[in-house]
Amino acid sequence: MKYKFSKYVFVAPLALAIGCGGSKQPVAQQPVVQTEKTGIDRKVDSVLALMTLEEKVGQMNQYNGFWEVTGPAPKDGAAAIKYDHLKKGWVGSMLNVRGVKDVKALQKIAVEETRLHIPVIFGFDVIHGYKTVSPIPLAESASWDMEAIQQSAEIAAAEAAASGLNWTFAPMVDVSRDARWGRVMEGAGEDPFLNSRIAEARVKGFQGDLGELSLAACVKHFAGYAFAESGRDYNTVDVSDNTLHNIILPPFKAASDAGALTFMNSFNELEGIPSTGNGYLQRELLKGEWGFKGFVVSDWGSMGEMIPHGYAKDLKDAAMKAANAGSDMDMESSGYIEHLAALVKEGKVSQEKVDDAVRRILRVKFMLGLFDNPYKYCDETREKETIGKKEFHDGVLDMAKKSIVLLKNEKNLLPLAKQGKKIALIGALANDKTSPLGSWRIGADDGTAVSVLEGMQQYKGNQLTYTKGADVALGKPVFVSETHINTTDKSGFAEAVKAAKAADVVVMVLGEHGLQTGEGRSRSDLGLPGVQQELLETIYKANPNIVLVLNNGRPLALPWAAENIPAIVEAWHLGTEAGNAVAQVLYGDYNPSGKLPMSFPRNVGQVPIYYNHKTTGRPGNGQPTESVFWSHYTDVANSPQYPFGYGLSYTTFSYGNLKISGNSFGKNGKITVTVDVTNTGKVEGKEIVQLYLHDLVASVTRPVRELKGFKNISLKPGETKTVSFIIDEELVTFYTANKKFEAEPGDFTVFVGGDSNATLNASFSYTE
Ligand code: BGC
């Protein structure tokens, strides 16, 4: 290979001789050991020493794909300027270029036509799969299965890397409490502990061994983005230090500790400072306190957005503030490429800051092996052989089944009998091969998901009829074709009613289209869009034996269905194998075990609603009281429709015999909690056993309870297993009034059970 790193290691004297700009660190003259970290740092320094200021700034510049690579090179306008920059070595990264052919063509320009031959890093939003699509991240989180989630990220990475990509803008680890925010579908829900474990699993899954089928991960959005006021995307964020450190930041820290190579900042402001210009977050906390060695990329155009935020007067000012705050790479604002060199010359941004950013970027490129072989990810044969492999389909099907949550199952309507029944399948989403792919699956092709209709057709013992009933009603700006747009058309109702009347059981697939959630898709109403609610109630009058299969990317508020419909299955947007997963669950070939990663509200007025809320000074002890002067609504209960951690199975479980190994422990000590879980039903099933702690009195008020452990177990009918958890100092540590993480002496209650309403409890103290 022509472009070996060694070329850079030994050329530093040449760099000084030819008068290249940049720092003049001494460069090692002896061979370097490739695998050692210090080795990489030496290589990075040797490259840095060769670079002009403009080339350094170029590494900090990221462009979106700007021309049809297989066509003629652009001659005018912005694309021609970007093309010129690429040839000069002024483009460190590109996004949204994919496919070996295109990536290779661009990489060739970077490494064969530029002065220093520095490879470009190619990024893409590989959020839940590339071509073979996994469930949306919120759905995967309902599995509480870290191995499965890691494997799902591995599959996504393998396909994307085989397609020439090196870097995914995932995982999103924003703790989300507000279902109105469309991006809750991209994360792991409302709990910081679960989010942290999932963040680790996803980082490990994407990055693997950093081999040719792995991607660098990018942890986003740093930080607080999910706390947009009123759930309206890009809106103002105003959170306390307490919430920032105890709720928002833990998953970011976990992902950084798990070795994530990059971070992305966020569109929102925090304490009045937009994240891109936020030196506390990026420079002091992430790179300082946490010791993060990778680089931070801005979010799309977020540097430029500091102008409308009212934090920068123009793009130059924004570039200065971003660079000084530690934002290393500029995604599509062109702020650095246009102004950073001048800012350094004017002394407004130090050379050290630029060098630090470039070092971080080069380091990641070295770690990915791009200097050893810039075409490492560009193998057309591997691309063909890897994408769409049978084992990937098996993997995403397994993930999809594990993501399904059974919300209600009265009269054992589920599982369905396999023989001799008349089943009416109703709903536009039941026959949709695109919507199940969900939002943020831009690498996949429309129409490639297995629909519920196709999944159910695999079971041939019943008589299955399908009628649409009504469209989903997308509302306008959702970037999809006109299908599903209609909001009022009820002309399909009559045929659906006829089918329902003739059926033993009705399966209705209702909810949100896959592109109704995601970025920019906030909703102020959490009900079923369009006339679907009316369709549901109309069909119910014709035949109440309804299994409601929900497709959605966020918690919905469906109080009427929760009260009246006998069986409800939360089937999210489950990806390529969605229909097969749903059918296998409906027919009992897979016993559902998913548990909600976000509370489902009774109505939108309860939002944000989350289990780990504070007690308040007027908790009312959870009981309705005579007085109105306690923290409650006068028109709806405080509790959610379905709580965090909740989910049923085709069997039942009982919990008992909670034991605690001691009443107290101190620094470096621990206690063990054990509980017996029994399968009290007739079929084998999986249960996710959850442990919560309540810190009774502290220097700052603490949540009513917090998830601090969970275990997945499988039990045969009648079988009992003893599950144990260790509680140590780390589990009782939090961000205190002293503005640091520490464990405070005090009393705690531990709860163990199958959801966040767990009642089985014991007490212990943490002592000094
Ligand atoms: C999103 C990011 C995404 C980026 C690149 C932005 O609009 O907020 O999450 O990674 O675009 O596509």
Side-chain angles (χ1 to χ4, degrees):
M1 172 49 58
K2 204 165 149 203
Y3 303 99
K4 291 276 186 211
F5 67 84
S6 52
K7 176 170 177 180
Y8 300 104
V9 172
F10 298 109
V11 286
L14 170 67
L16 300 180
I18 60 175
C20 293
S23 57
K24 298 187 170 50
Q25 292 97 338
V27 173
Q29 293 297 302
Q30 64 276 358
V32 288
V33 181
Q34 278 194 53
T35 48
E36 275 181 16
K37 205 171 106 196
T38 52
I40 284 196
D41 291 340
R42 283 212 300 270
K43 291 176 213 168
V44 165
D45 282 346
S46 75
V47 178
L48 197 73
L50 298 172
M51 299 172 79
T52 63
L53 175 59
E54 286 69 23
E55 284 164 341
K56 290 179 182 176
V57 169
Q59 284 304 303
M60 298 167 71
N61 179 38
Q62 185 189 52
Y63 284 145
N64 191 33
F66 53 87
W67 105 96
E68 197 57 62
V69 178
T70 45
K75 293 221 165 40
D76 345 276
I81 296 172
K82 289 180 173 182
Y83 183 67
D84 176 55
H85 289 175
L86 182 65
K87 290 179 96 106
K88 285 187 170 133
W90 291 2
V91 179
S93 172
M94 292 189 69
L95 76 154
N96 293 331
V97 176
R98 64 195 156 104
V100 166
K101 203 162 156 208
D102 285 15
V103 169
K104 206 172 181 177
L106 287 166
Q107 192 69 296
K108 196 161 183 289
I109 296 175
V111 298
E112 295 187 17
E113 295 184 35
T114 66
R115 194 179 74 91
L116 289 177
H117 320 292
I118 299 176
V120 164
I121 176 169
F122 291 90
F124 196 71
D125 290 279
V126 186
I127 307 298
H128 55 112
Y130 181 65
K131 285 273 182 222
T132 312
V133 178
S134 297
I136 54 168
L138 185 67
E140 287 191 353
S141 307
S143 73
W144 299 50
D145 185 329
M146 299 310 119
E147 268 175 46
I149 290 173
Q150 182 173 331
Q151 183 188 285
S152 164
E154 279 165 16
I155 293 171
E159 284 196 343
S163 179
L165 295 162
N166 332 129
W167 181 25
T168 173
F169 305 124
M172 184 186 102
V173 305
D174 297 311
V175 170
S176 311
R177 293 172 160 179
D178 194 328
R180 294 170 295 183
W181 191 53
R183 301 194 79 166
V184 301
M185 54 78 45
E186 259 181 272
E190 75 192 35
D191 180 68
F193 185 87
L194 183 61
N195 253 284
S196 300
R197 303 294 77 78
I198 291 176
E200 290 159 356
R202 289 197 170 127
V203 167
K204 282 187 210 150
F206 287 131
Q207 295 194 170
D209 59 357
L210 294 185
E212 61 213 5
L213 291 179
S214 303
L215 300 171
C218 182
V219 183
K220 67 189 190 186
H221 304 85
F222 199 55
Y225 182 35
F227 280 67
E229 282 176 359
S230 321
R232 206 183 71 212
D233 208 359
Y234 320 119
N235 203 3
T236 306
V237 169
D238 196 355
V239 292
S240 68
D241 237 27
N242 187 321
T243 300
L244 180 67
H245 290 277
N246 282 318
I247 305 292
I248 295 172
L249 293 176
F252 287 98
K253 172 77 163 56
S256 169
D257 290 347
L261 291 180
T262 74
F263 264 52
M264 184 186 289
N265 59 37
S266 55
F267 292 128
N268 59 282
E269 65 171 62
L270 201 69
E271 290 277 356
I273 300 177
S275 300
T276 312
N278 198 312
Y280 167 69
L281 280 177
Q282 300 172 106
R283 214 183 45 238
E284 292 176 34
L285 187 71
L286 177 64
K287 296 176 181 176
E289 236 176 85
W290 295 358
F292 172 71
K293 295 268 181 295
F295 69 85
V296 181
V297 64
S298 78
D299 202 346
W300 180 288
S302 65
M303 184 188 298
E305 287 182 18
M306 292 203 284
I307 305 166
H309 263 295
Y311 187 68
K313 72 173 189 298
D314 52 28
L315 191 57
K316 186 170 180 184
D317 192 28
M320 179 184 78
K321 287 175 171 147
N324 284 332
S327 187
D328 302 310
M329 186 182 275
D330 169 12
M331 184 191 285
E332 271 294 324
S333 284
S334 293
Y336 286 163
I337 200 67
E338 285 177 22
H339 300 292
L340 191 51
L343 286 163
V344 173
K345 286 173 193 152
E346 290 161 19
K348 294 190 173 135
V349 174
S350 68
Q351 180 70 57
E352 289 69 41
K353 286 230 165 69
V354 170
D355 283 354
D356 179 61
V358 177
R359 262 197 197 94
R360 289 169 179 277
I361 294 163
L362 295 179
R363 192 167 180 277
V364 169
K365 291 184 177 183
F366 269 110
M367 290 189 76
L368 288 172
L370 287 170
F371 277 94
D372 285 325
N373 176 8
Y375 303 113
K376 171 178 162 187
Y377 299 84
C378 297
D379 178 331
E380 267 162 296
T381 314
R382 187 169 63 223
E383 182 178 35
K384 273 196 209 91
E385 285 170 3
T386 307
I387 289 175
K389 268 186 179 178
K390 160 94 172 57
E391 68 194 72
F392 294 167
H393 281 265
D394 294 347
V396 301
L397 173 61
D398 179 62
M399 187 74 253
K401 289 189 282 193
K402 287 175 171 158
S403 305
I404 291 174
V405 185
L406 182 63
L407 295 176
K408 191 174 173 190
N409 191 18
E410 276 177 4
K411 297 184 250 163
N412 289 328
L413 199 57
L414 289 173
L416 301 172
K418 288 184 181 162
Q419 297 290 333
K421 297 280 175 203
K422 286 189 191 139
I423 297 183
L425 179 62
I426 297 172
L429 291 172
N431 189 23
D432 196 313
K433 291 174 64 60
T434 296
S435 171
L437 299 173
S439 202
W440 278 122
R441 44 80 188 169
I442 47 182
D445 303 317
D446 281 0
T448 50
V450 177
S451 69
V452 173
L453 174 59
E454 288 169 328
M456 291 190 71
Q457 281 167 341
Q458 306 297 313
Y459 291 83
K460 302 193 188 306
N462 288 329
Q463 196 184 314
L464 182 71
T465 59
Y466 169 72
T467 50
K468 179 167 91 169
D471 281 323
V472 181
L474 271 169
K476 272 287 178 183
V478 285
F479 313 141
V480 285
S481 65
E482 293 297 301
T483 52
H484 299 312
I485 296 281
N486 195 318
T487 53
T488 52
D489 183 3
K490 294 189 248 171
S491 58
F493 277 31
E495 197 192 338
V497 166
K498 201 169 144 210
K501 278 190 175 148
D504 298 307
V505 182
V506 183
V507 176
M508 295 187 74
V509 185
L510 304 178
E512 298 177 307
H513 185 276
L515 293 175
Q516 226 154 1
T517 52
E519 186 176 349
R521 274 70 163 219
S522 296
R523 291 182 64 202
S524 67
D525 175 4
L526 297 175
L528 296 170
V531 293
Q532 292 181 97
Q533 178 67 32
E534 215 177 321
L535 176 67
L536 179 64
E537 294 184 29
T538 306
I539 299 297
Y540 180 77
K541 283 185 203 131
N543 185 345
N545 281 337
I546 296 176
V547 177
L548 174 59
V549 176
L550 293 173
N551 280 190
N552 43 315
R554 53 156 69 81
L556 295 177
L558 301 174
W560 185 88
E563 194 179 327
N564 296 289
I565 299 299
I568 306 179
V569 176
E570 177 49 75
W572 317 101
H573 298 125
L574 291 174
T576 307
E577 292 289 334
N580 286 331
V582 170
Q584 288 180 32
V585 164
L586 295 183
Y587 278 107
D589 284 339
Y590 188 86
N591 187 355
S593 60
K595 303 270 189 176
L596 294 178
M598 263 186 103
S599 308
F600 274 43
R602 295 173 190 277
N603 65 30
V604 76
Q606 289 185 312
V607 173
I609 184 166
Y610 46 95
Y611 85 94
N612 49 354
H613 57 84
K614 302 291 186 68
T615 53
T616 81
R618 298 196 177 191
N621 296 324
Q623 304 299 321
T625 68
E626 301 288 301
S627 157
V628 294
F629 302 113
W630 62 289
S631 181
H632 73 303
Y633 300 102
T634 54
D635 56 354
V636 69
N638 280 4
S639 60
Q641 189 78 61
Y642 299 112
F644 173 83
Y646 169 84
L648 304 173
S649 161
Y650 292 149
T651 189
T652 45
F653 302 100
S654 75
Y655 284 73
N657 201 20
L658 184 74
K659 285 192 195 139
I660 190 158
S661 64
N663 295 328
S664 67
F665 70 98
K667 216 173 175 39
N668 302 322
K670 60 178 183 193
I671 51 172
T672 305
V673 175
T674 56
V675 66
D676 289 348
V677 187
T678 306
N679 181 342
T680 47
K682 293 196 174 63
V683 290
E684 185 168 356
K686 278 194 299 176
E687 171 71 333
I688 297 156
V689 183
Q690 300 158 42
L691 175 125
Y692 296 86
L693 294 185
H694 179 205
D695 184 349
L696 271 54
V697 179
S699 64
V700 291
T701 59
R702 306 289 291 130
V704 288
R705 58 180 64 187
E706 297 172 286
L707 181 75
K708 289 292 175 184
F710 57 89
K711 297 229 163 120
N712 297 10
I713 56 166
S714 183
L715 291 172
K716 298 203 162 51
E719 190 184 6
T720 298
K721 275 187 184 158
T722 302
V723 178
S724 67
F725 295 94
I726 289 172
I727 302 177
D728 59 11
E729 189 187 340
E730 199 189 325
L731 286 198
V732 297
T733 293
F734 65 102
Y735 193 76
T736 70
N738 292 330
K739 303 279 177 204
K740 60 177 185 184
F741 279 91
E742 57 190 337
E744 290 179 348
D747 298 330
F748 292 79
T749 310
V750 52
F751 300 90
V752 182
D755 62 47
S756 58
N757 283 338
T759 48
L760 208 56
N761 68 83
S763 301
F764 69 89
S765 317
Y766 176 76
T767 55
E768 241 157 343

